[in-house]
Amino acid sequence: MDTTLTPNGGILTPLIRKNCQILRNYLEAGGYAAARKALAMTPEAIINEVTKSNLRGLGGAGFPTGRKWSFIPKNSPKPKYLVINADESEPGTFKDRYLITRATHALLEGIIIAARAIDAHTAYIYIRGEYVEPARILQAAIDEAYQNGILGRKVLGTDYELNVYVHRGAGAYICGEETALLESLEGKKGWPRMKPPFPAIEGLFRCPTIVNNVETISYVPAILANGGEWFAKLGSERNGGYRFYSVSGHVNRPGVYELPHGTTLREILYTHAGGIRNGKKLKAVIPGGSSSPVLRPEEIDVKMDVDSLAAIGSMIGSAGVIAIDEDTCLLEVLRVTARFYHHESCGQCTPCREGTGWLEKVLARMRRGEGNPQDPDRLLSIATGIMGNTICPLGDAAAMPVFGFVKKFREEFEAHARYGRCHTGAFTSWQPPARPGA
């Protein structure tokens, strides 16, 4: 899977095609001009430009980036830190890995600009342990930047100092949550912290900290180079610019696609990803990584942005689109998803630790043909007990797929509960098979 297609050229795709993980190529493409511009600006002016761009966090939360940066206290005597969340691990999501390996210096230039905006002189890139090759490429680019005076004591020949470090995680999903990430970065167990205080006030080493993901920061140089208003006009209302959609599942051309915010899900699936493979029908689609509520085929004309998906009860999350064809058992999809969240729960909160386990057990029992008519409502009840009752969003991430699958495809779950197998037709016209031993 190595596909990037953009009908209008995209913003970062041209850099990816020029192999801009190599400094020489990035400089030939105009690289680091935006950082030079930012170093001559005040922090307030940089934040104002990013705010005008309507750039929202592209790791899943969708919080406005410029507003997030503005939360850093200006008069704090403590050092400020910038932390890049490269712990990409949402099932169905693989865009940050692509950016790290192909547009590496765009990320580093974005780090310089963001650090300047919040007056940070130290930045950490927290990358998941399984990303061995991306981490190697990243470190090589950082070394090259130091050797050429782009990082270090005099960034690009100015008096501004910035040091960037790569920190390898141990491959735990929970460490993608920003406060768990900070705990791990401090050398402790990756358990989420209670909020408030939020990291912008008390983050890494109890100092003001901004945590942004790879894709978000990689777009910042283009914003400084072309202006916030230019970026805002490229996307949809309140969602500026482009973003990368990771498309996987039963499509003909799985891959990573850079497209404007507001592109419809139908266009992504049928125009760019080539439609459903083997000419089959689309049965369901997960629009934003495994934690986002599933959609039915009649809902794919929705615009892919934060607000449009929220309006129909789902979320864009990490923009990891997973297509599911007509031959797939949705109960099995949900069982595998529940197993993942049970395995990745850190165990700190009882509703998450126990609830994810119960979800997996009930779904596994139904999958074995041992369900009962109360099981669909039992799943919803367990999910309700988890939702909103945990320190971090992992509990919600485990509960939301249950709400989506059971509510939108209830007939399939009822078939498993009553008859021990998949069935999508009317129950009154279908005779269940005899159970073994019945």
Side-chain angles (χ1 to χ4, degrees):
M1 188 185 305
D2 189 19
T3 305
T4 302
L5 298 174
T6 54
N8 299 317
I11 297 173
L12 294 173
T13 295
L15 302 179
I16 291 171
R17 288 178 172 155
K18 292 177 182 176
N19 290 320
C20 283
Q21 75 276 19
I22 300 170
L23 179 59
R24 180 184 66 255
N25 296 343
Y26 191 61
L27 292 173
E28 288 176 356
Y32 289 107
R36 293 181 189 278
K37 179 180 178 181
L39 290 169
M41 298 168 65
T42 64
E44 292 77 13
I46 298 172
I47 292 173
N48 185 49
E49 207 62 46
V50 174
T51 301
K52 285 193 293 186
S53 75
N54 284 340
L55 175 66
R56 300 175 75 159
L58 302 176
F63 196 83
T65 303
R67 188 178 172 198
K68 189 174 189 177
W69 293 1
S70 71
F71 292 154
I72 289 287
K74 296 179 177 58
N75 300 319
S76 173
K78 297 180 178 179
K80 290 97 172 177
Y81 292 104
L82 175 67
V83 176
I84 306 303
N85 186 348
D87 194 67
E88 181 180 59
S89 50
E90 179 82 356
T93 306
F94 37 86
K95 60 187 174 61
D96 285 351
R97 175 179 60 186
Y98 202 74
L99 287 169
I100 291 169
T101 56
R102 304 296 184 84
T104 322
H105 282 282
L107 171 62
L108 296 182
E109 185 173 11
I111 288 173
I112 294 173
I113 296 167
R116 168 67 175 168
I118 63 170
D119 193 30
H121 296 278
T122 302
Y124 293 94
I125 303 173
Y126 187 101
I127 188 167
R128 68 179 298 101
E130 290 90 337
Y131 279 10
V132 176
E133 183 65 3
R136 185 194 67 76
I137 293 172
L138 187 56
Q139 188 60 60
I142 291 172
D143 293 343
E144 198 173 16
Y146 271 105
Q147 292 162 8
N148 287 273
I150 295 171
L151 295 174
R153 298 186 64 180
K154 291 187 175 294
V155 174
L156 294 167
T158 67
D159 291 332
Y160 186 70
E161 180 177 359
L162 177 62
N163 294 295
V164 178
Y165 304 95
V166 176
H167 184 96
R168 301 281 300 279
Y173 177 77
I174 190 64
C175 289
E177 195 279 335
E178 61 178 1
T179 61
L181 185 156
L182 295 176
E183 288 284 299
S184 176
L185 195 53
E186 292 178 1
K188 295 178 284 188
K189 182 188 291 185
W191 274 14
R193 300 173 182 171
M194 290 288 289
K195 293 186 287 189
F198 291 92
I201 305 300
E202 191 173 297
L204 185 65
F205 308 127
R206 305 297 169 180
C207 296
T209 302
I210 290 295
V211 182
N212 280 135
N213 100 307
V214 169
E215 186 183 1
T216 309
I217 291 296
S218 297
Y219 275 120
V220 168
I223 293 170
L224 264 289
N226 299 289
E229 293 179 355
W230 166 82
F231 191 83
K233 290 178 181 176
L234 295 177
S236 59
E237 186 179 5
R238 300 179 60 209
N239 300 272
Y242 281 53
R243 76 171 304 170
F244 282 78
Y245 300 92
S246 316
V247 185
S248 62
H250 302 143
V251 291
N252 286 309
R253 292 195 297 270
V256 183
Y257 298 87
E258 187 187 23
L259 298 163
H261 266 109
T263 302
T264 66
L265 183 53
R266 179 184 296 279
E267 181 181 334
I268 293 172
L269 289 173
Y270 286 95
T271 301
H272 302 290
I276 308 306
R277 68 187 185 188
N278 301 322
K280 294 185 180 297
K281 293 181 180 177
L282 179 69
K283 185 175 188 178
V285 57
I286 299 170
S290 64
S291 60
S292 61
V294 67
L295 300 178
R296 295 182 66 95
E298 57 268 29
E299 295 177 294
I300 64 172
D301 288 311
V302 63
K303 291 182 178 180
M304 287 291 283
D305 60 46
V306 175
D307 306 305
S308 299
L309 279 162
I312 61 170
S314 189
M315 55 186 282
I316 193 166
S318 61
V321 178
I322 304 172
I324 301 169
D325 72 15
E326 58 186 321
D327 293 338
T328 305
C329 171
L330 296 183
L331 185 140
E332 176 63 3
V333 173
L334 184 57
R335 186 193 67 80
V336 172
T337 304
R339 180 182 180 187
F340 170 80
Y341 288 109
H342 180 210
H343 180 268
E344 296 294 339
S345 173
C346 74
Q348 186 175 191
C349 304
T350 302
C352 179
R353 182 184 65 241
E354 302 299 326
T356 52
W358 277 108
L359 288 174
E360 183 189 354
K361 287 178 181 177
V362 172
L363 288 163
R365 177 167 52 74
M366 295 173 71
R367 183 66 173 137
R368 292 196 302 270
E370 300 170 2
N372 59 63
Q374 292 76 39
D375 280 339
D377 288 327
R378 182 175 288 113
L379 290 170
L380 293 175
S381 176
I382 296 170
T384 300
I386 300 173
M387 190 79 184
N389 292 315
T390 57
I391 290 175
C392 83
L394 191 143
D396 292 358
M400 286 188 292
V402 177
F403 292 126
F405 276 103
V406 176
K407 290 184 177 178
K408 294 197 173 180
F409 296 91
R410 189 177 178 95
E411 70 278 7
E412 187 155 334
F413 286 82
E414 287 185 344
H416 273 280
R418 296 169 64 181
Y419 307 128
R421 54 169 288 184
C422 289
H423 176 65
T424 56
F427 294 135
T428 55
S429 62
W430 180 73
Q431 294 300 316
R435 289 188 177 181

